[in-house]
Amino acid sequence: MIDELMNVEPFSLLKTDKERILARALLDLTAFHYDNCREYRSMLDALGFDPRGATGGCRDLPFLPVRLFKELTLKSVSDAEIFKTMTSSGTTGQATSRIFLDRATAGQQQKALVRIVASFLGTARLPMIIIDCPSSVRDRRMFSARGAAILGFSIFGNDKIYALDDDMNLDVKALAAFLAKHSGKRILLFGFTFMVWQHFCAKLKNLSGMADLSGGVLIHGGGWKKLAGQSVSPGVFKSELKAVCGIDHVHNYYGMVEQTGCVYMECEKGHLHASVFSDVITRRADLSVCDYGEAGIIEVVSALPKSYCGHVLLTEDEGVILGEDDCPCGRKGKYFKVLGRLKDAEIRGCSDAYAASF
């Protein structure tokens, strides 16, 4: 089933075809996790849900609150098969989610990420600026969602540099040398939203004309909570980057460590898109499904998690589905926007968790 999804363009399936393929994949995953994860089976039994007799679409499957990954050990493979445990971002004192990966699941997640992001960047690797510090991946204690995202997106770059030193200061000398070496080339930049704004854009503003990144493509994510509090909208974020260093190709993304690989990329029209590997649903407070255009709690589904039961998750984010198959950018599938965190939800997301210290 996953192979079928890997063989089509990531934003090419129309609603009927995508629902048919994705629903079958998710029902298979639900049955697999029911058979192999005792905690998951107990929850489905309590709901009276039998995956073997189930029919219907993605919206009919039982979902897990994403917070459960902080409280329970949810895995569907043996300990011997686990080769990596990922943790979510969080502020000091918060519990973090633990995501157990076997090699097969990690491999599928990486393949899906490559398919999705390559459809925006192309397949050629680009000179890359990582707007973060080297210790974010060097220090194993920090190898959480933040380190995983950096490593995940790094596969699209070559001749990579970190724009910040370990004290989160702009490394002006390294940046100048990199820009001189790659003058006139298309450059990939990756970072978390608040860090890009606080440690890159603001610092470059004080070094007027220092960096010409007019050939650059910036991918950023991790939450807007801090910047929204400073009245920095996505429009202001983009226009300031354009004014400071000339970047006019900027893509936000929405994603979470519990569904690594299934990122929702922002298109040229400012909409987040669900790929063939995933879907998004919004629910009202009574958990019924919202209509398009109606704000609700975001539920995300992914056909990729096999070593842990993270295939149908209710997030703590609020959003609105704007449409399906008819985005002006030409990509098929649902497109949506995130409105923010639900009231009283914990801070999470690499950008928001880091920004909480400011």
Side-chain angles (χ1 to χ4, degrees), residues 149-339:
I150 291 170
L151 292 177
F153 279 94
S154 291
I155 62 176
F156 303 102
N158 60 31
D159 199 14
K160 299 178 277 287
I161 66 161
Y162 287 85
L164 310 178
D165 63 25
D166 285 339
D167 294 319
M168 301 303 281
N169 297 310
L170 185 66
D171 190 338
V172 176
K173 184 177 179 180
L175 182 61
F178 179 91
L179 293 175
K181 180 178 181 181
H182 296 291
S183 176
K185 297 179 184 176
R186 191 171 182 236
I187 292 170
L188 171 63
L189 300 95
F190 172 80
F192 299 105
T193 307
F194 179 78
M195 296 179 205
V196 172
W197 180 259
Q198 183 81 5
H199 300 308
F200 189 73
C201 186
K203 300 303 180 185
L204 284 180
K205 191 174 183 178
N206 295 327
L207 300 169
S208 181
M210 181 261 172
D212 177 8
L213 288 163
S214 53
V217 182
L218 170 64
I219 297 177
H220 69 99
W224 284 88
K225 185 178 177 66
K226 188 75 173 185
L227 293 188
Q230 297 176 2
S231 300
V232 179
S233 67
V236 169
F237 183 85
K238 291 178 181 177
S239 63
E240 190 71 0
L241 280 165
K242 172 71 174 176
V244 168
C245 54
I247 297 177
D248 55 8
H249 295 287
V250 178
H251 299 282
N252 185 25
Y253 77 90
Y254 176 69
M256 59 194 65
V257 70
E258 292 86 355
Q259 289 189 351
T260 297
C262 280
V263 294
Y264 299 84
M265 291 285 291
E266 179 191 38
C267 73
E268 299 78 4
K269 304 299 180 183
H271 302 147
L272 297 166
H273 279 261
S275 73
V276 296
F277 307 107
S278 63
D279 201 4
V280 60
I281 297 163
T282 50
R283 294 187 182 273
R284 304 182 181 102
D286 64 2
L287 302 180
S288 58
V289 176
C290 295
D291 297 323
Y292 289 0
E294 178 185 2
I297 307 166
I298 295 175
E299 176 186 333
V300 288
V301 306
S302 168
L304 303 178
K306 188 75 179 287
S307 56
Y308 63 98
C309 44
H311 56 309
V312 188
L313 299 177
L314 191 69
T315 74
E316 296 179 339
D317 296 323
E318 185 180 31
V320 57
I321 296 173
L322 303 170
E324 186 167 10
D325 294 343
D326 59 358
C327 179
C329 76
R331 294 176 179 85
K332 305 306 179 188
K334 288 180 186 170
Y335 56 98
F336 66 105
K337 64 178 178 180
V338 177
L339 302 177

Side-chain angles (χ1 to χ4, degrees), residues 85-89 96-99 141 143-146 257:
T85 301
M86 305 295 299
T87 58
S88 62
S89 299
T96 55
S97 298
R98 291 182 303 149
I99 310 301
R141 293 171 300 177
F143 192 75
S144 63
R146 178 175 165 185
V257 70

